[in-house]
Amino acid sequence: MAWNVFKFCTALRALGSVIIVFVLGIVSLTYYVVVLADYGPSLFLGGLDSLLSLLVLPLFHSLLVMLLWSYFSVVLTDPGGVPPNWRPVTDEERGEADSLVESEYNGSDLASNRLDDLDHQRVRFCQKCNQFKPPRCHHCSVCGRCILKMDHHCVWVVNCVGAFNYKYFLLFLFYTFLETTVVTLSLLPYFIAFFTEGEIPGTPGTLAATFITFILNFAFALSVMGFLIMHLSLVGANTTTIEPFYLLSGI
């Protein structure tokens, strides 16, 4: 029997809005450091500092607006569920759908079938939802329902990523990568100054916030870049995150 890692995700239900508050906390810290502590005051110093602030601040705010828009679009958009009482269309001439539906409904063993057979040649039935499943539809143990073209349940957006919100999820990864990269590059001179003998302006609290913000954004930039590359390759291959799992496990 294949080890189903998704059954351990039910504990994510308890996180709920805590994750959203955590994400907004990181965004707020970043905004404080970049705008209020570092580049905002530099805007009125004149010279090269003002010019650099004029370049960083508009770009930072533009990407931040797009990041928040795409993030809450993923959070609030329903990923897509199976309509109540949905049934597959019956091919009366070939008579295939009726026989396949009957075999699924009677609980026949499909462990030896490949993913293409499951999604394109066989009508599936969800025992948990007690309803038929369209092609590329999978049951989410966290949401407790079947999701159309389910990709995965994302803890960061506290929602399933499916047919209706995958576009926003991909945009969220894209804008997060751009924003964290801009923040990392913007705070890099301050970070380097920590390890030099030069004097750094600011209070100890501001300096600590700057250091933490740089580390967080640098870490997120690297990790999100990996996720973005992975999902772009999945889009190019016309597949999802969990479909290879079902293909390899044979379920």
Side-chain angles (χ1 to χ4, degrees), residues 42-54:
S42 299
L43 188 63
F44 304 99
L45 296 179
L48 184 60
D49 292 332
S50 296
L51 180 60
L52 189 59
S53 297
L54 287 174

Side-chain angles (χ1 to χ4, degrees), residues 176-231:
T176 300
F177 170 69
L178 292 182
E179 178 77 331
T180 53
T181 301
V182 168
V183 172
T184 300
L185 294 177
S186 300
L187 298 181
L188 183 60
Y190 296 90
F191 182 78
I192 295 177
F194 280 107
F195 304 98
T196 62
E197 297 180 356
E199 182 179 354
I200 308 175
T203 64
T206 301
L207 297 180
T210 301
F211 186 86
I212 295 174
T213 301
F214 175 85
I215 296 298
L216 287 176
N217 280 270
F218 180 66
F220 278 116
L222 292 179
S223 58
V224 171
M225 179 180 65
F227 280 113
L228 181 60
I229 294 174
M230 182 190 75
H231 279 278

